[in-house]
Amino acid sequence: MKLLAGAPGWTTTADVIVIGSGVAGLTTALQIRASGLSVLLVTKAKIDEGSTKWAQGGIAAALGPGDTPEQHKKDTLIAGADLCDSQAVEVLVSEGPEAVRKLIARGAVFDKSETGEIALTREGGHLRNRILHAGGDATGAEISRALLAAVRSDTGIEVIENALALDVLKSATGRVCGVTLHVIGAGSKDGVGRGLARAVVIATGGLGQVYSQTTNPSVSTGDGVALALRAGAAIADVEFIQFHPTVLWRDAAAGGQQPLISEAVRGEGAFLVNDKGERFMVGKHPQADLAPRDVVAKAIFTQMKESHSPHVWLDATGIHDFVTRFPTIYASCIENGIDPTKQLIPVAPASHYASGGVKVDLHGRTTIDGLYACGETACTGAHGANRLASNSLLEGLVFGTRIAADIASGLPAQQEPIADASPAFLLRADVKLPLQLGMSQGAGVMRSDSSLTETAALLERLSHHTSDAPGLDTWEVSNLYLLAVAIVRSALAREESRGSHWRSDHLETRPEWRKRVIQHLDASGKWSTSFEEVK
Ligand code: FAD
Ligand code: SIN
């Protein structure tokens, strides 16, 4: 199965193609260069677009006095609701500190305490202060700045902006040997073309745009997961969509990317209250307002249902240095008519992070030869059923480094692509809104067999709205559609509540469901589901 697109009109070649320019793609590209291979880095919009530059709270690593990778591992496993791959977590937490030191060596500047040490804060699910941050609440922007500067100064990395990856190219042996791209550019690389490479790394970020309200930017349409599915790769854990508890609530009609109020605000002392001014997290969990994200999101959702209110409130008025500690959040609150130093902030959960994605091993290898996945696109298993706060940037650093090491250990010669005779598919751009609304309604914070079945029926109806007009909008919506189907199928299969997957008809967590749901799409477009025991 492939996206409907014109025939490639140009060809370019590199040793490795990296798709995406967030923390995962940039880190992978830079690390690959250490082995002297050439890299083509393609990115759908401008190079700094993506979730990375929006990251607020920080990056987690056991760097503080008395902290250890073991303690970081423990917190990660607990947040992951018994579904983490323990080896992947081990890799993440034990290689994390070195990966962060390397990032600092590459030029990223983190905030310091009065004594000159790196300042560490706390977020939900962490039992210690272990979150490094930059510019107060502009951690992602600083990481992106530092990595982009390093990429720009490396002549062995060719960057093409406005280059949307469509589908992989495979050789007669079934190995991935390139990718089709659509470039909006000038000169020879314009329109649909072929990028040929000895390995391809997908680092296309998240899929928040599957839902009507999300913290994710507009480029987060799950393209990489959809591309991998069409290539025949396995995807895992996609039912575990993390809803961030505290997203600024503006009005019911607000759609697309919404401003985040970082968990670090609660880490610095803010707390949630309901319409009656009562603190509802106290007594609900030993960590109260700093419980893991799924616990807080569910409690907010319950409060909203009980009070028939579209939001709850965050009281941050006690944070004396709010303006300097959280300058980005302060500015977005003020822009929306709220002074967080004097007023309560209206907040509600919104889709934030995909804990699942393209199934990879500890070296970032997908189930298809020659194809790697890294960052939010990938499912290493490190996040289980609910990612621990600030473990995502870290995952991009750690696994990007591992992928580069695997690639450096040897790649076959460039192989020739063969023609892809599988059916082409494309949906109309106007499918997007009903799809997003349907997913928020039926496959959101709380799901049930009936809500998911209704959503599946909606998606089936939308699948008939086909298009013969290839373009950015129609490609993106076709990717969103595949992701929506995958999420609904996995959520329907998992008859229990666990982590960020909450079924109103199966409220209990069941030990027999300590397994991952794996989805496949065959060349004709037929889905299949299998299950895998958690390691
Ligand atoms: P991204 O940074 O999203 O990059 C994906 C790249 O792929 C982009 O360049 C995009 O344009 C490109 N792309 C997409 N599709 C295509 C295509 N078809 N062809 C070519 N290119 C494509 N995590 C933390 O650890 N700490 C935090 O404090 C934190 N705060 C967050 C705050 C917000 C508001 C958001 C949205 C997320 C936050 N996260 C945080 C999560 C974290 O930012 C992301 O998970 C992480 O940055 C993902 O990095 P990535 O490189 O995988 O993807
Ligand atoms: C936040 O700052 O609350 C987001 C952190 C994350 O998603 O890891």
Side-chain angles (χ1 to χ4, degrees):
M1 199 174 181
K2 59 179 179 281
L3 288 174
L4 182 69
W10 50 270
T11 300
T12 188
T13 308
D15 287 321
V16 183
I17 294 178
V18 176
I19 311 169
S21 52
V23 63
L26 296 172
T27 303
T28 311
L30 287 166
Q31 291 294 127
I32 290 172
R33 287 293 299 137
S35 53
L37 297 168
S38 64
V39 177
L40 172 63
L41 183 82
V42 294
T43 188
K44 171 156 94 167
K46 288 219 176 310
I47 195 162
D48 68 345
E49 290 294 318
S51 287
T52 297
K53 79 162 174 194
W54 292 95
Q56 293 185 345
I59 182 161
L63 288 165
D67 198 4
T68 60
E70 289 68 39
Q71 293 182 52
H72 187 181
K73 181 175 181 181
K74 206 169 154 206
D75 292 347
T76 302
L77 292 174
I78 290 172
D82 219 15
L83 211 82
C84 295
D85 178 309
S86 123
Q87 280 181 301
V89 179
E90 181 70 35
V91 163
L92 181 75
V93 300
S94 60
E95 297 178 17
E98 184 50 34
V100 171
R101 278 187 214 107
K102 182 146 213 166
L103 180 65
I104 293 171
R106 284 200 161 115
V109 180
F110 290 99
D111 296 336
K112 305 266 180 4
S113 68
E114 278 159 13
T115 56
E117 303 295 312
I118 286 181
L120 299 171
T121 191
R122 193 176 295 210
E123 289 183 302
H126 290 272
L127 284 172
R128 282 188 165 267
N129 288 13
R130 66 165 70 93
I131 318 288
L132 296 85
H133 47 87
D137 56 4
T139 311
E142 173 58 12
I143 291 175
S144 180
R145 183 204 62 75
L147 292 175
L148 282 176
V151 162
R152 284 185 180 120
S153 65
D154 190 327
T155 52
I157 303 177
E158 183 192 357
V159 176
I160 313 182
E161 293 183 303
N162 301 310
L164 182 133
L166 296 163
D167 277 298
V168 299
L169 294 163
K170 285 186 186 168
S171 71
T173 64
R175 184 179 170 89
V176 168
C177 58
V179 62
T180 51
L181 297 163
H182 179 266
V183 178
I184 304 171
S188 56
K189 290 179 196 129
D190 189 25
V192 177
R194 301 188 311 170
L196 301 186
R198 296 154 71 195
V200 172
V201 183
I202 313 168
T204 51
L207 47 85
Q209 293 286 333
V210 167
Y211 292 89
S212 54
Q213 281 154 341
T214 175
T215 61
N216 291 192
S218 59
V219 292
S220 303
T221 49
D223 296 5
V225 183
L227 170 150
L229 261 172
R230 289 190 299 270
I235 66 167
D237 292 351
V238 293
E239 67 274 34
F240 298 113
I241 302 294
Q242 184 171 78
F243 286 79
H244 196 292
T246 53
V247 177
L248 181 65
W249 186 86
R250 300 195 281 184
D251 74 78
Q257 189 180 15
Q258 307 297 317
L260 178 71
I261 311 292
S262 173
E263 212 155 62
V265 175
R266 275 173 282 138
E268 300 289 341
F271 52 86
L272 291 155
V273 293
N274 61 17
D275 276 352
K276 294 183 212 141
E278 297 159 346
R279 287 190 67 171
F280 54 86
M281 285 312 299
V282 176
K284 201 150 269 152
H285 189 279
Q287 285 162 270
D289 294 87
L290 282 173
R293 222 164 250 185
D294 58 320
V295 177
V296 182
K298 284 172 198 169
I300 293 177
F301 187 75
T302 308
Q303 289 290 329
M304 285 164 46
K305 260 186 87 177
E306 280 172 14
S307 62
H308 304 289
S309 170
H311 61 78
V312 295
W313 303 94
L314 184 68
D315 187 341
T317 54
I319 303 178
H320 65 95
D321 59 349
F322 194 103
V323 180
T324 48
R325 176 67 181 83
F326 300 111
T328 315
I329 298 169
Y330 180 73
S332 71
C333 284
I334 293 292
E335 205 176 296
N336 285 282
I338 295 140
D339 181 346
T341 64
K342 299 191 179 80
Q343 292 169 287
L344 302 186
I345 309 169
V347 290
S351 122
H352 179 61
Y353 184 82
S355 293
V358 186
K359 188 172 180 293
V360 294
D361 66 12
L362 294 176
H363 307 281
R365 296 183 284 224
T366 70
T367 53
I368 306 275
D369 226 15
L371 186 65
Y372 293 80
C374 188
E376 191 168 341
T377 298
C379 178
T380 60
H383 308 308
N386 175 53
R387 174 179 63 95
L388 182 66
S390 286
N391 267 355
S392 174
L393 295 169
L394 188 70
E395 187 183 42
L397 295 179
V398 168
F399 283 87
T401 305
R402 288 194 141 235
I403 288 173
D406 196 68
I407 285 174
S409 71
L411 285 179
Q414 177 68 53
Q415 297 183 4
E416 258 310 295
I418 53 165
D420 179 354
S422 65
F425 126 96
L426 196 67
L427 293 182
R428 276 181 5 209
D430 61 5
V431 159
K432 185 172 176 178
L433 191 59
L435 179 148
Q436 290 172 323
L437 293 171
M439 286 298 287
S440 291
Q441 183 70 28
V445 175
M446 163 104 61
R447 310 100 193 248
S448 66
D449 184 82
S450 68
S451 79
L452 290 163
T453 305
E454 259 175 52
T455 312
L458 167 75
L459 293 172
E460 209 286 318
R461 289 196 297 280
L462 293 176
S463 73
H464 299 288
H465 296 220
T466 55
S467 164
D468 55 8
L472 180 65
D473 290 353
T474 48
W475 286 321
E476 282 188 344
V477 82
S478 304
N479 288 331
L480 288 175
Y481 167 79
L482 282 185
L483 265 303
V485 173
I487 293 166
V488 169
R489 285 178 60 89
S490 299
L492 263 171
R494 182 172 290 281
E495 293 186 333
E496 65 158 356
S497 292
R498 184 186 292 271
S500 47
H501 170 76
W502 196 23
R503 288 274 300 253
S504 59
D505 51 343
H506 294 285
L507 284 171
E508 70 293 356
T509 301
R510 292 166 55 197
E512 62 271 31
W513 268 103
R514 193 170 173 266
K515 54 190 175 192
R516 346 198 81 90
V517 180
I518 316 283
Q519 301 279 356
H520 272 106
L521 193 61
D522 74 11
S524 69
K526 195 163 159 283
W527 290 88
S528 60
T529 305
S530 57
F531 303 94
E532 189 180 282
E533 293 304 318
V534 174
K535 288 194 264 358

